[in-house]
Amino acid sequence: MAVIKALEENQSTFTEWRHKIHSNPETAFEEIDTGNFVAEKLESFGIEVHRGLAKTAVIGTLEGKEKSSQSIGLRADMDALDLDELNTFEHKSQVDGKMHACGHDGHTTMLLAAAKYLSETRNFKGKVHFYFQPAEENFGGANVMIKEGLFDKFPVDMVFGMHNWPGANAKVFHVKPGALLAANARFEIKIQGKGAHAAMPNQGKDSILMSSNLIMALQSVASRVIAPLDSVVVSVTQVHGGSAWNVLPDEVIIRGSLRALTNEVKEKAFAAIREITNGICSAYGGTAIVDIVSGYPVTFNDEVATKVALKAAQKTIGENKVITKFASTMGSEDFSFMLQEVPGCYVLLGNDKSESTDSGTSPCMLHNPYYDFNDELIPVGASYFVNLVENGLD
Ligand SMILES: [Zn+2]
Ligand SMILES: [Zn+2]
């Protein structure tokens, strides 16, 4: 039970790769340099490379020494975020307004490191497909790959992925079956009142008043509509309305985000948002158009695949460093689309480190301008991927 020695010994090389990717962050479907870097590395390991899916995806295919029909998919995301990096270290972002603040540079490096090791040893049966995907943030790159035939062209029996997790001890795996991350949706509510002079509100239908009542009332979705032990978040994140001190506007637009851990709760919350909106607006003489768009599904780990993942994590780091009882989170992840198609498991790998930020706050959460991936995780995550493949699925 240990991190693979050859991976540990190569940590400085892998760290260089990670820093190179970090310094050149690319966002949704524009991961051209990153994709080229990944493809060049895979080719240099003698791995068959396929490109063209979802614009910038790179897929590597490798066969083990032992013939078998078994096939495993390992996935890493390559995209960065639209965010200005505030770190000052040498490998900081060289691109204004873009930053690897979610650690996808680390995910890509861990999978590349695993691919290198597996290509040298090929001590496994069947086939492994390395899925390097674009656009995890916001644009569902995984879903685009699936729609363009990912699992028809590169079929697998099971698929695995992982996310680094600040706030959890470094190198500690979190593995459990069922709902791990939430489904998300975004909503926009156009409240239509009737504009009026601020001094004569009785001549209008006040959309500002409707919106303020509505924002408060939407909190009752979590507290009064959804059962207390079920999880839901309804967050209003934007309010737009009015342009003058002395005019009541015709229209107010509010927008927000919804999260839930089951589809049933999500659908119930959708219905409640519509009902509450219509009720509040009509009470004040207005109307509303509610537009709700579902985003990523629930990230739901398959029972059997989770056992496979658990075994690999325990082999990598020891049983005492694998946590199986922990709270799900209301964040979302587009690996969920892959899990809808193929059984699989998504795990979290603790990313804490004591000196992670220039801001003096540690640990630094994902999507923070001071975030940086912890390079000590690279051999750990790569060993986990290798163990998944070498252990096999039976
Ligand atoms: Zn993210
Ligand atoms: Zn992420």
Side-chain angles (χ1 to χ4, degrees), residues 78 165-166 267 293 300 365:
M78 301 189 290
W165 209 246
E267 294 298 331
V293 181
F300 196 90
M365 202 42 195

Side-chain angles (χ1 to χ4, degrees), residues 187-202:
F187 59 87
E188 180 183 89
I189 302 172
K190 272 189 191 153
I191 298 169
Q192 197 65 50
K194 187 176 167 227
H197 194 298
M200 290 160 245
N202 56 304

Side-chain angles (χ1 to χ4, degrees), residues 77 79-81 101-104 107 136-138 163 332-333 366-367:
D77 36 15
D79 60 317
L81 284 153
C102 206
H104 299 182
H107 302 166
E136 190 286 320
E137 306 280 0
N138 301 317
H163 210 292
S332 304
E333 162 62 56
L366 303 171
H367 295 205

